[in-house]
Amino acid sequence: LDDHNRSGRYMTRDYAINYLESCAPNAILLTYGDNDTFPLWYVQEVEGVRTDVKVVNISYLGMDWYITQHRMATYEAPPMPFSFQEEQYYMGRRDAVLILDRIDGAVDLRDAMAFMGSDDERSKVEIAAGNKLDYLPSREFYLPVDRNRVLQTETVQPEDSELIADTIRFGINKSYISKSEWAVLNIIATNNWERPVYIDHSLLYTGNIYFTEWLQFEGLAYRFVPLKTETRAMNMGHINTNILYENVMNKFVWGNVNHPDVFLDEYNKRSIRIIQARSMFSRLAEALVNEGQNVKAEKVIDKMFELFPNEKIPLTYDSFSAVEQYLRAGAVEKGSEKIRQMADNSFAMLDYYLTLPANFARAVEEDQEREMGLLQNLLVITRRYQLTELNKEIDSRVQNLIGQLSGN
């Protein structure tokens, strides 16, 4: 393929569509960077896609003009819920807010916002030379949950109704927060479960979203819900398989990522890892297997490997979970085939590293360790699912490689 030919590549546009299609109607979607924001603006402005979604970039949310802009309607999206007037957030006012332990126990987030927005001198603390700052009087906060309301607004689906918490609780382990951080808290406090509120995946790791235990994974975005889910490894968020299956299998588009005549450069391949596309399919399949829906789980993994085939994007560590879901769903032949492909890819890389001059050894040491670690994981999974012959095959190749590396 011509590596200077970009024709037929529509991944950036289609990923933007997928961000928006991850959201329920009339949603507010909080984004963070430029790569997860500007393409969304394009598809809304130029192609008219999901103009009911209010896209709010929190990197700009510390600017008074940006808050004011979103207090107005955008396309078909109503104004952002926000309890403050402009004089309460204009530049120089509440740019930073202290977090002080003045009250024992948690404070209702709505009361905390009202306290912080007050002009009463008792809601401020002197820091130096007569300068005063607004503050929040606790590090612990809560939001009451109206069970009927969250079901009525479809924030929670009926099949998950038994999981609804009476109260959302979270803490802030900082000495102060910025305007953009408290603005997000103001949005969820003022919204009162009326509209869907989402964060995109990049916000999970910024350290300035404090309710990450109260999310539902719906594709490339996570919905704020009164369902508590503990973080497991890098996976966050409750999964409603009906919602995620509909998005992943029927709504999402992928911009010719698997077209044989479309060239993917390293940035295109890295973008797929950045948005954790393979992981999204794997997590859905895992949840389906947990529910006993093995046939649907197998279809999900089939589609994943169809979209991101080994020939275009070599199978590596980000495919490991998908392979295991094949085995859990009973698709042993398909799982074994993918394990063999992953092993072949790792051995090919390790063989390549062996051809490099000695002075490159340190430069590729980390990559070698990663490939060896993946092979060890493949040995573990083949033992776990009693794939004896495949286990022996991979183990024999590993032992031969170790012999080469040790010079025997």
Side-chain angles (χ1 to χ4, degrees):
L1 291 177
D2 181 359
D3 63 1
H4 285 65
N5 186 349
R6 299 182 182 181
S7 63
R9 281 198 326 221
Y10 296 99
M11 280 83 79
T12 300
R13 180 201 65 184
D14 284 5
Y15 297 166
I17 292 171
N18 294 348
Y19 276 109
L20 295 170
E21 290 291 4
S22 298
C23 301
N26 198 33
I28 300 159
L29 173 59
L30 303 175
T31 64
Y32 182 62
D34 42 12
N35 288 340
D36 58 341
T37 303
F38 299 162
L40 278 65
W41 289 346
Y42 162 78
V43 295
Q44 287 188 317
E45 178 72 24
V46 178
E47 303 202 10
V49 175
R50 291 300 306 274
T51 50
D52 61 303
V53 177
K54 174 73 93 169
V55 177
V56 180
N57 184 300
I58 73 163
S59 298
Y60 293 154
L61 205 52
M63 305 294 181
D64 51 5
W65 60 267
Y66 192 69
I67 295 175
T68 299
Q69 184 179 95
H70 281 293
R71 291 178 60 222
M72 298 180 282
T74 312
Y75 310 116
E76 283 75 46
M80 173 181 79
F82 203 73
S83 66
F84 287 4
Q85 300 303 309
E86 189 168 358
E87 62 270 15
Q88 294 172 283
Y89 62 80
Y90 64 71
M91 194 63 67
R93 297 211 67 184
R94 300 179 177 90
D95 291 342
V97 171
L98 298 175
I99 310 287
L100 302 177
D101 286 318
R102 294 292 180 89
I103 296 177
D104 291 333
V107 176
D108 188 317
L109 185 61
R110 297 166 298 183
D111 294 338
M113 287 293 110
F115 178 87
M116 187 194 76
S118 171
D119 286 330
D120 193 313
E121 287 298 309
R122 291 172 295 180
S123 68
K124 307 174 193 320
V125 62
E126 187 169 336
I127 52 171
N131 293 321
K132 294 184 177 181
L133 283 181
D134 295 275
Y135 71 94
L136 291 170
S138 176
R139 297 182 186 278
E140 301 295 327
F141 303 93
Y142 69 87
L143 269 178
V145 177
D146 183 329
R147 178 186 178 86
N148 292 330
R149 187 177 188 83
V150 297
L151 288 170
Q152 179 185 9
T153 59
E154 298 184 354
T155 303
V156 177
Q157 300 304 303
E159 59 267 28
D160 292 325
S161 60
E162 296 304 313
L163 302 175
I164 297 173
D166 295 330
T167 308
I168 295 280
R169 296 185 181 273
F170 63 91
I172 301 177
N173 189 27
K174 288 183 177 179
S175 57
Y176 72 93
I177 56 174
S178 66
K179 182 177 290 181
S180 62
E181 291 173 291
W182 66 250
V184 170
L185 298 179
N186 191 297
I187 290 169
I188 65 171
T190 307
N191 185 54
N192 194 27
W193 309 111
E194 182 65 31
R195 291 167 65 185
V197 176
Y198 290 81
I199 67 169
D200 78 10
H201 70 96
S202 63
L203 278 168
L204 294 175
Y205 312 109
T206 59
N208 53 13
I209 296 295
Y210 304 107
F211 45 86
T212 54
E213 290 185 329
W214 302 94
L215 298 174
Q216 180 164 282
F217 179 50
E218 298 190 7
L220 295 188
Y222 294 74
R223 186 170 182 168
F224 178 50
V225 294
L227 309 173
K228 188 171 185 179
T229 309
E230 302 292 342
T231 300
R232 183 168 57 86
M234 294 292 287
N235 294 334
M236 295 187 190
H238 172 74
I239 291 178
N240 179 289
T241 55
N242 293 326
I243 292 173
L244 189 55
Y245 188 91
E246 174 64 18
N247 290 344
V248 167
M249 300 296 282
N250 299 322
K251 290 185 178 180
F252 287 180
V253 286
W254 296 97
N256 291 334
V257 67
N258 60 346
H259 195 288
D261 296 330
V262 171
F263 175 75
L264 301 185
D265 60 26
E266 284 307 308
Y267 176 78
N268 301 132
K269 296 175 185 178
R270 188 167 66 249
S271 295
I272 291 164
R273 298 189 186 101
I274 289 171
I275 66 173
Q276 301 175 358
R278 281 173 166 164
S279 174
M280 176 175 62
F281 283 86
S282 300
R283 290 192 65 191
L284 172 56
E286 180 181 13
L288 288 167
V289 172
N290 290 344
E291 293 176 356
Q293 300 191 65
N294 291 358
V295 174
K296 290 180 75 173
E298 184 177 346
K299 287 180 180 178
V300 168
I301 301 301
D302 284 346
K303 183 158 187 174
M304 190 201 88
F305 285 120
E306 175 191 336
L307 285 168
F308 314 115
N310 184 59
E311 296 75 22
K312 300 285 286 187
I313 307 156
L315 306 188
T316 182
Y317 57 88
D318 63 347
S319 305
F320 186 84
S321 178
V323 169
E324 183 166 20
Q325 302 320 312
Y326 259 155
L327 300 177
R328 293 182 69 223
V332 176
E333 282 191 26
K334 292 178 181 178
S336 298
E337 176 196 351
K338 299 306 179 186
I339 288 173
R340 188 169 280 110
Q341 283 183 341
M342 292 174 71
D344 287 344
N345 291 346
S346 288
F347 283 119
M349 291 304 299
L350 289 165
D351 287 342
Y352 166 71
Y353 297 142
L354 286 173
T355 68
L356 297 175
N359 59 314
F360 280 87
R362 180 168 293 182
V364 299
E365 183 178 1
E366 185 177 330
D367 295 327
Q368 284 180 310
E369 290 176 355
R370 183 178 64 247
E371 299 298 342
M372 288 298 291
L374 178 57
L375 289 171
Q376 291 297 327
N377 285 335
L378 294 179
L379 288 172
V380 170
I381 197 173
T382 50
R383 281 197 300 270
R384 181 184 302 155
Y385 292 93
Q386 300 178 348
L387 305 174
T388 307
E389 292 304 314
L390 185 53
N391 179 273
K392 288 180 180 178
E393 176 187 326
I394 296 172
D395 186 54
S396 175
R397 295 176 70 182
V398 169
Q399 296 309 317
N400 288 337
L401 185 66
I402 292 172
Q404 288 179 266
L405 292 171
S406 60
N408 295 333

Short mmCIF file of all heavy atoms in Angstrom, two decimals, residues 148-199:
data_model
loop_
_atom_site.label_atom_id
_atom_site.label_comp_id
_atom_site.label_asym_id
_atom_site.label_seq_id
_atom_site.Cartn_x
_atom_site.Cartn_y
_atom_site.Cartn_z
N ASN A 148 -37.47 7.10 41.80
CA ASN A 148 -38.47 7.20 40.74
C ASN A 148 -38.00 8.11 39.62
O ASN A 148 -38.25 7.83 38.44
CB ASN A 148 -39.79 7.72 41.31
CG ASN A 148 -40.45 6.71 42.24
OD1 ASN A 148 -40.30 5.51 42.07
ND2 ASN A 148 -41.17 7.20 43.24
N ARG A 149 -37.30 9.17 39.99
CA ARG A 149 -36.83 10.12 38.98
C ARG A 149 -35.78 9.50 38.06
O ARG A 149 -35.84 9.68 36.84
CB ARG A 149 -36.26 11.37 39.66
CG ARG A 149 -35.91 12.49 38.68
CD ARG A 149 -35.43 13.71 39.44
NE ARG A 149 -35.26 14.85 38.58
CZ ARG A 149 -36.23 15.67 38.20
NH1 ARG A 149 -37.47 15.45 38.63
NH2 ARG A 149 -36.00 16.70 37.41
N VAL A 150 -34.81 8.78 38.64
CA VAL A 150 -33.75 8.21 37.80
C VAL A 150 -34.28 7.10 36.90
O VAL A 150 -33.72 6.85 35.82
CB VAL A 150 -32.55 7.72 38.64
CG1 VAL A 150 -31.90 8.88 39.38
CG2 VAL A 150 -32.93 6.60 39.59
N LEU A 151 -35.36 6.45 37.32
CA LEU A 151 -35.99 5.46 36.44
C LEU A 151 -36.82 6.15 35.36
O LEU A 151 -36.81 5.75 34.20
CB LEU A 151 -36.86 4.51 37.26
CG LEU A 151 -36.11 3.50 38.13
CD1 LEU A 151 -37.07 2.78 39.08
CD2 LEU A 151 -35.38 2.46 37.26
N GLN A 152 -37.51 7.22 35.74
CA GLN A 152 -38.34 7.96 34.79
C GLN A 152 -37.50 8.61 33.70
O GLN A 152 -37.88 8.61 32.52
CB GLN A 152 -39.15 9.03 35.54
CG GLN A 152 -40.04 9.88 34.65
CD GLN A 152 -40.72 11.00 35.42
OE1 GLN A 152 -40.40 11.26 36.58
NE2 GLN A 152 -41.64 11.68 34.77
N THR A 153 -36.34 9.16 34.07
CA THR A 153 -35.47 9.82 33.09
C THR A 153 -34.55 8.83 32.38
O THR A 153 -33.72 9.23 31.58
CB THR A 153 -34.60 10.89 33.77
OG1 THR A 153 -33.81 10.29 34.81
CG2 THR A 153 -35.48 11.99 34.38
N GLU A 154 -34.70 7.54 32.70
CA GLU A 154 -33.90 6.46 32.11
C GLU A 154 -32.41 6.62 32.39
O GLU A 154 -31.57 6.14 31.63
CB GLU A 154 -34.16 6.34 30.60
CG GLU A 154 -35.60 6.01 30.28
CD GLU A 154 -35.85 5.80 28.79
OE1 GLU A 154 -34.93 6.03 27.99
OE2 GLU A 154 -36.98 5.40 28.44
N THR A 155 -32.10 7.32 33.49
CA THR A 155 -30.72 7.34 33.97
C THR A 155 -30.30 5.93 34.34
O THR A 155 -29.16 5.52 34.12
CB THR A 155 -30.59 8.27 35.19
OG1 THR A 155 -31.05 9.58 34.83
CG2 THR A 155 -29.17 8.34 35.69
N VAL A 156 -31.25 5.18 34.91
CA VAL A 156 -31.05 3.77 35.23
C VAL A 156 -32.14 2.97 34.53
O VAL A 156 -33.31 3.38 34.50
CB VAL A 156 -31.11 3.52 36.75
CG1 VAL A 156 -30.98 2.03 37.07
CG2 VAL A 156 -30.02 4.32 37.47
N GLN A 157 -31.77 1.84 33.94
CA GLN A 157 -32.73 0.98 33.26
C GLN A 157 -33.45 0.10 34.28
O GLN A 157 -32.91 -0.22 35.35
CB GLN A 157 -32.00 0.11 32.24
CG GLN A 157 -31.27 0.89 31.17
CD GLN A 157 -32.18 1.85 30.41
OE1 GLN A 157 -33.19 1.43 29.84
NE2 GLN A 157 -31.85 3.13 30.43
N PRO A 158 -34.70 -0.30 33.98
CA PRO A 158 -35.48 -1.10 34.94
C PRO A 158 -34.75 -2.36 35.42
O PRO A 158 -34.86 -2.73 36.59
CB PRO A 158 -36.74 -1.45 34.15
CG PRO A 158 -36.88 -0.36 33.15
CD PRO A 158 -35.48 0.03 32.78
N GLU A 159 -33.98 -3.01 34.53
CA GLU A 159 -33.30 -4.25 34.93
C GLU A 159 -32.19 -4.01 35.95
O GLU A 159 -31.71 -4.94 36.59
CB GLU A 159 -32.73 -4.97 33.70
CG GLU A 159 -31.73 -4.17 32.88
CD GLU A 159 -32.38 -3.42 31.72
OE1 GLU A 159 -33.57 -3.07 31.85
OE2 GLU A 159 -31.68 -3.17 30.72
N ASP A 160 -31.78 -2.74 36.12
CA ASP A 160 -30.75 -2.40 37.09
C ASP A 160 -31.32 -1.71 38.33
O ASP A 160 -30.57 -1.18 39.16
CB ASP A 160 -29.68 -1.49 36.46
CG ASP A 160 -28.86 -2.20 35.39
OD1 ASP A 160 -28.61 -3.41 35.56
OD2 ASP A 160 -28.48 -1.56 34.40
N SER A 161 -32.65 -1.69 38.46
CA SER A 161 -33.29 -0.89 39.51
C SER A 161 -32.88 -1.32 40.91
O SER A 161 -32.82 -0.49 41.84
CB SER A 161 -34.82 -0.95 39.36
OG SER A 161 -35.28 -2.29 39.48
N GLU A 162 -32.60 -2.61 41.09
CA GLU A 162 -32.22 -3.09 42.43
C GLU A 162 -30.85 -2.59 42.85
O GLU A 162 -30.48 -2.69 44.03
CB GLU A 162 -32.25 -4.62 42.45
CG GLU A 162 -33.62 -5.23 42.24
CD GLU A 162 -34.64 -4.71 43.26
OE1 GLU A 162 -34.30 -4.69 44.47
OE2 GLU A 162 -35.75 -4.31 42.85
N LEU A 163 -30.08 -2.06 41.91
CA LEU A 163 -28.72 -1.59 42.21
C LEU A 163 -28.68 -0.11 42.57
O LEU A 163 -27.62 0.41 42.93
CB LEU A 163 -27.80 -1.84 41.00
CG LEU A 163 -27.68 -3.29 40.51
CD1 LEU A 163 -26.84 -3.34 39.23
CD2 LEU A 163 -27.07 -4.17 41.58
N ILE A 164 -29.81 0.57 42.47
CA ILE A 164 -29.83 2.03 42.70
C ILE A 164 -29.48 2.35 44.15
O ILE A 164 -30.07 1.80 45.09
CB ILE A 164 -31.20 2.62 42.35
CG1 ILE A 164 -31.51 2.42 40.86
CG2 ILE A 164 -31.26 4.11 42.70
CD1 ILE A 164 -32.92 2.83 40.47
N ALA A 165 -28.50 3.24 44.31
CA ALA A 165 -28.12 3.69 45.65
C ALA A 165 -29.06 4.80 46.12
O ALA A 165 -29.61 5.56 45.30
CB ALA A 165 -26.68 4.19 45.65
N ASP A 166 -29.23 4.90 47.42
CA ASP A 166 -30.06 5.99 47.97
C ASP A 166 -29.34 7.33 47.88
O ASP A 166 -29.98 8.38 47.78
CB ASP A 166 -30.40 5.71 49.44
CG ASP A 166 -31.28 4.48 49.60
OD1 ASP A 166 -32.07 4.20 48.68
OD2 ASP A 166 -31.16 3.79 50.63
N THR A 167 -28.01 7.27 47.93
CA THR A 167 -27.20 8.49 47.99
C THR A 167 -25.89 8.28 47.26
O THR A 167 -25.25 7.24 47.42
CB THR A 167 -26.89 8.88 49.45
OG1 THR A 167 -28.11 8.91 50.20
CG2 THR A 167 -26.23 10.24 49.54
N ILE A 168 -25.50 9.27 46.45
CA ILE A 168 -24.16 9.29 45.84
C ILE A 168 -23.20 9.90 46.85
O ILE A 168 -23.48 10.97 47.42
CB ILE A 168 -24.17 10.18 44.57
CG1 ILE A 168 -25.06 9.60 43.49
CG2 ILE A 168 -22.73 10.39 44.07
CD1 ILE A 168 -24.45 8.50 42.71
N ARG A 169 -22.07 9.26 47.08
CA ARG A 169 -21.07 9.80 48.00
C ARG A 169 -19.70 9.78 47.35
O ARG A 169 -19.34 8.81 46.69
CB ARG A 169 -21.02 8.99 49.30
CG ARG A 169 -22.31 9.06 50.10
CD ARG A 169 -22.21 8.35 51.44
NE ARG A 169 -23.48 8.42 52.16
CZ ARG A 169 -23.82 9.44 52.95
NH1 ARG A 169 -22.97 10.44 53.12
NH2 ARG A 169 -24.99 9.45 53.56
N PHE A 170 -18.95 10.87 47.53
CA PHE A 170 -17.58 10.93 47.02
C PHE A 170 -16.78 11.95 47.82
O PHE A 170 -17.35 12.80 48.52
CB PHE A 170 -17.55 11.28 45.52
CG PHE A 170 -18.12 12.64 45.20
CD1 PHE A 170 -17.30 13.76 45.17
CD2 PHE A 170 -19.47 12.80 44.92
CE1 PHE A 170 -17.81 15.02 44.86
CE2 PHE A 170 -20.00 14.04 44.61
CZ PHE A 170 -19.17 15.16 44.59
N GLY A 171 -15.47 11.85 47.73
CA GLY A 171 -14.60 12.76 48.45
C GLY A 171 -13.62 13.46 47.52
O GLY A 171 -13.40 13.02 46.39
N ILE A 172 -13.05 14.55 48.02
CA ILE A 172 -12.02 15.29 47.27
C ILE A 172 -10.79 15.40 48.16
O ILE A 172 -10.81 16.11 49.17
CB ILE A 172 -12.51 16.70 46.87
CG1 ILE A 172 -13.78 16.60 46.01
CG2 ILE A 172 -11.41 17.45 46.12
CD1 ILE A 172 -14.38 17.94 45.62
N ASN A 173 -9.74 14.72 47.78
CA ASN A 173 -8.52 14.69 48.58
C ASN A 173 -7.51 15.70 48.06
O ASN A 173 -6.40 15.37 47.64
CB ASN A 173 -7.93 13.28 48.57
CG ASN A 173 -6.78 13.14 49.55
OD1 ASN A 173 -6.73 13.86 50.56
ND2 ASN A 173 -5.86 12.23 49.27
N LYS A 174 -7.91 16.97 48.06
CA LYS A 174 -7.05 18.06 47.61
C LYS A 174 -7.21 19.24 48.56
O LYS A 174 -8.20 19.33 49.30
CB LYS A 174 -7.43 18.51 46.19
CG LYS A 174 -7.07 17.54 45.09
CD LYS A 174 -7.43 18.15 43.73
CE LYS A 174 -7.02 17.27 42.57
NZ LYS A 174 -7.40 17.88 41.26
N SER A 175 -6.27 20.16 48.51
CA SER A 175 -6.38 21.36 49.33
C SER A 175 -7.20 22.45 48.64
O SER A 175 -7.71 23.35 49.29
CB SER A 175 -4.98 21.90 49.67
OG SER A 175 -4.25 22.17 48.49
N TYR A 176 -7.30 22.37 47.30
CA TYR A 176 -8.13 23.32 46.56
C TYR A 176 -8.53 22.69 45.24
O TYR A 176 -7.91 21.72 44.77
CB TYR A 176 -7.40 24.64 46.32
CG TYR A 176 -6.29 24.55 45.30
CD1 TYR A 176 -6.53 24.84 43.95
CD2 TYR A 176 -5.00 24.16 45.66
CE1 TYR A 176 -5.53 24.74 43.01
CE2 TYR A 176 -3.99 24.06 44.72
CZ TYR A 176 -4.26 24.35 43.39
OH TYR A 176 -3.27 24.25 42.45
N ILE A 177 -9.56 23.25 44.61
CA ILE A 177 -9.95 22.83 43.26
C ILE A 177 -10.09 24.06 42.38
O ILE A 177 -10.34 25.18 42.86
CB ILE A 177 -11.26 22.01 43.25
CG1 ILE A 177 -12.41 22.78 43.89
CG2 ILE A 177 -11.06 20.67 43.92
CD1 ILE A 177 -13.76 22.07 43.78
N SER A 178 -9.91 23.86 41.08
CA SER A 178 -9.98 24.95 40.12
C SER A 178 -11.42 25.24 39.72
O SER A 178 -12.34 24.49 40.02
CB SER A 178 -9.15 24.61 38.89
OG SER A 178 -9.75 23.50 38.21
N LYS A 179 -11.59 26.33 38.99
CA LYS A 179 -12.93 26.70 38.53
C LYS A 179 -13.55 25.62 37.66
O LYS A 179 -14.75 25.32 37.79
CB LYS A 179 -12.87 28.03 37.77
CG LYS A 179 -14.23 28.54 37.30
CD LYS A 179 -14.11 29.89 36.62
CE LYS A 179 -13.76 30.98 37.64
NZ LYS A 179 -13.66 32.31 37.01
N SER A 180 -12.76 25.04 36.77
CA SER A 180 -13.32 24.01 35.90
C SER A 180 -13.78 22.80 36.70
O SER A 180 -14.79 22.16 36.35
CB SER A 180 -12.29 23.58 34.84
OG SER A 180 -11.14 23.01 35.44
N GLU A 181 -13.07 22.48 37.80
CA GLU A 181 -13.45 21.33 38.62
C GLU A 181 -14.75 21.58 39.37
O GLU A 181 -15.65 20.73 39.40
CB GLU A 181 -12.32 20.99 39.59
CG GLU A 181 -11.08 20.44 38.91
CD GLU A 181 -9.92 20.27 39.87
OE1 GLU A 181 -9.37 21.30 40.33
OE2 GLU A 181 -9.55 19.12 40.16
N TRP A 182 -14.87 22.76 40.01
CA TRP A 182 -16.12 23.00 40.74
C TRP A 182 -17.29 23.25 39.78
O TRP A 182 -18.45 23.01 40.13
CB TRP A 182 -15.99 24.09 41.79
CG TRP A 182 -15.73 25.51 41.38
CD1 TRP A 182 -14.59 26.23 41.58
CD2 TRP A 182 -16.66 26.43 40.78
NE1 TRP A 182 -14.74 27.52 41.11
CE2 TRP A 182 -16.00 27.67 40.62
CE3 TRP A 182 -17.99 26.33 40.35
CZ2 TRP A 182 -16.60 28.79 40.05
CZ3 TRP A 182 -18.59 27.45 39.78
CH2 TRP A 182 -17.90 28.66 39.63
N ALA A 183 -16.97 23.71 38.55
CA ALA A 183 -18.04 23.89 37.56
C ALA A 183 -18.68 22.55 37.20
O ALA A 183 -19.90 22.46 37.03
CB ALA A 183 -17.50 24.58 36.32
N VAL A 184 -17.87 21.50 37.08
CA VAL A 184 -18.41 20.16 36.82
C VAL A 184 -19.31 19.73 37.96
O VAL A 184 -20.40 19.18 37.76
CB VAL A 184 -17.26 19.14 36.60
CG1 VAL A 184 -17.81 17.72 36.56
CG2 VAL A 184 -16.51 19.46 35.31
N LEU A 185 -18.86 19.99 39.20
CA LEU A 185 -19.68 19.63 40.37
C LEU A 185 -20.99 20.43 40.38
O LEU A 185 -22.04 19.90 40.76
CB LEU A 185 -18.89 19.88 41.66
CG LEU A 185 -17.60 19.06 41.83
CD1 LEU A 185 -16.90 19.44 43.13
CD2 LEU A 185 -17.89 17.57 41.79
N ASN A 186 -20.92 21.67 39.95
CA ASN A 186 -22.12 22.49 39.88
C ASN A 186 -23.11 21.92 38.87
O ASN A 186 -24.32 21.88 39.11
CB ASN A 186 -21.75 23.93 39.51
CG ASN A 186 -22.90 24.90 39.69
OD1 ASN A 186 -23.93 24.79 39.04
ND2 ASN A 186 -22.71 25.87 40.59
N ILE A 187 -22.58 21.43 37.74
CA ILE A 187 -23.44 20.85 36.70
C ILE A 187 -24.22 19.66 37.25
O ILE A 187 -25.44 19.57 37.10
CB ILE A 187 -22.60 20.44 35.48
CG1 ILE A 187 -22.07 21.67 34.74
CG2 ILE A 187 -23.44 19.59 34.52
CD1 ILE A 187 -21.02 21.35 33.69
N ILE A 188 -23.51 18.72 37.91
CA ILE A 188 -24.22 17.52 38.37
C ILE A 188 -25.14 17.83 39.54
O ILE A 188 -26.18 17.19 39.71
CB ILE A 188 -23.25 16.37 38.72
CG1 ILE A 188 -22.34 16.72 39.91
CG2 ILE A 188 -22.41 15.99 37.51
CD1 ILE A 188 -21.54 15.53 40.42
N ALA A 189 -24.79 18.83 40.36
CA ALA A 189 -25.66 19.21 41.48
C ALA A 189 -26.93 19.88 40.96
O ALA A 189 -28.03 19.61 41.45
CB ALA A 189 -24.92 20.14 42.43
N THR A 190 -26.79 20.76 39.97
CA THR A 190 -27.93 21.51 39.45
C THR A 190 -28.82 20.64 38.56
O THR A 190 -30.03 20.81 38.52
CB THR A 190 -27.43 22.73 38.64
OG1 THR A 190 -26.52 23.48 39.45
CG2 THR A 190 -28.58 23.63 38.21
N ASN A 191 -28.21 19.70 37.87
CA ASN A 191 -28.95 18.86 36.92
C ASN A 191 -30.03 18.02 37.59
O ASN A 191 -31.11 17.80 37.03
CB ASN A 191 -27.97 17.96 36.17
CG ASN A 191 -28.65 17.16 35.09
OD1 ASN A 191 -29.32 17.69 34.21
ND2 ASN A 191 -28.46 15.84 35.14
N ASN A 192 -29.73 17.51 38.79
CA ASN A 192 -30.70 16.74 39.57
C ASN A 192 -31.29 15.58 38.76
O ASN A 192 -32.49 15.34 38.78
CB ASN A 192 -31.82 17.66 40.09
CG ASN A 192 -32.65 16.98 41.17
OD1 ASN A 192 -32.17 16.10 41.88
ND2 ASN A 192 -33.91 17.37 41.28
N TRP A 193 -30.41 14.88 38.03
CA TRP A 193 -30.78 13.67 37.27
C TRP A 193 -31.75 13.96 36.12
O TRP A 193 -32.36 13.05 35.58
CB TRP A 193 -31.38 12.60 38.19
CG TRP A 193 -30.53 12.30 39.37
CD1 TRP A 193 -30.79 12.60 40.67
CD2 TRP A 193 -29.24 11.64 39.36
NE1 TRP A 193 -29.76 12.17 41.48
CE2 TRP A 193 -28.79 11.58 40.70
CE3 TRP A 193 -28.44 11.11 38.35
CZ2 TRP A 193 -27.58 11.01 41.06
CZ3 TRP A 193 -27.21 10.53 38.71
CH2 TRP A 193 -26.81 10.49 40.05
N GLU A 194 -31.86 15.23 35.72
CA GLU A 194 -32.81 15.58 34.66
C GLU A 194 -32.28 15.14 33.28
O GLU A 194 -33.01 14.53 32.50
CB GLU A 194 -33.06 17.09 34.66
CG GLU A 194 -34.08 17.56 33.64
CD GLU A 194 -35.48 17.04 33.91
OE1 GLU A 194 -35.83 16.84 35.08
OE2 GLU A 194 -36.22 16.82 32.93
N ARG A 195 -31.03 15.48 32.98
CA ARG A 195 -30.44 15.16 31.68
C ARG A 195 -29.30 14.16 31.86
O ARG A 195 -28.65 14.14 32.91
CB ARG A 195 -29.92 16.42 30.99
CG ARG A 195 -31.02 17.35 30.54
CD ARG A 195 -30.48 18.71 30.15
NE ARG A 195 -29.60 18.65 28.98
CZ ARG A 195 -28.94 19.72 28.54
NH1 ARG A 195 -29.03 20.88 29.17
NH2 ARG A 195 -28.18 19.61 27.47
N PRO A 196 -29.00 13.35 30.83
CA PRO A 196 -27.85 12.46 30.92
C PRO A 196 -26.55 13.27 30.95
O PRO A 196 -26.38 14.19 30.14
CB PRO A 196 -27.94 11.63 29.63
CG PRO A 196 -29.32 11.86 29.09
CD PRO A 196 -29.75 13.20 29.56
N VAL A 197 -25.67 12.93 31.87
CA VAL A 197 -24.36 13.58 31.95
C VAL A 197 -23.29 12.50 31.75
O VAL A 197 -23.29 11.48 32.43
CB VAL A 197 -24.14 14.27 33.31
CG1 VAL A 197 -22.73 14.86 33.40
CG2 VAL A 197 -25.18 15.37 33.51
N TYR A 198 -22.39 12.76 30.80
CA TYR A 198 -21.34 11.79 30.46
C TYR A 198 -19.98 12.45 30.58
O TYR A 198 -19.83 13.67 30.40
CB TYR A 198 -21.49 11.32 29.01
CG TYR A 198 -22.67 10.43 28.73
CD1 TYR A 198 -23.94 10.96 28.53
CD2 TYR A 198 -22.52 9.05 28.63
CE1 TYR A 198 -25.03 10.15 28.26
CE2 TYR A 198 -23.60 8.22 28.35
CZ TYR A 198 -24.85 8.78 28.17
OH TYR A 198 -25.91 7.97 27.89
N ILE A 199 -18.96 11.62 30.85
CA ILE A 199 -17.57 12.03 30.65
C ILE A 199 -16.98 11.10 29.59
O ILE A 199 -17.39 9.94 29.48
CB ILE A 199 -16.74 11.97 31.94
CG1 ILE A 199 -16.56 10.53 32.42
CG2 ILE A 199 -17.36 12.83 33.03
CD1 ILE A 199 -15.54 10.37 33.54
#
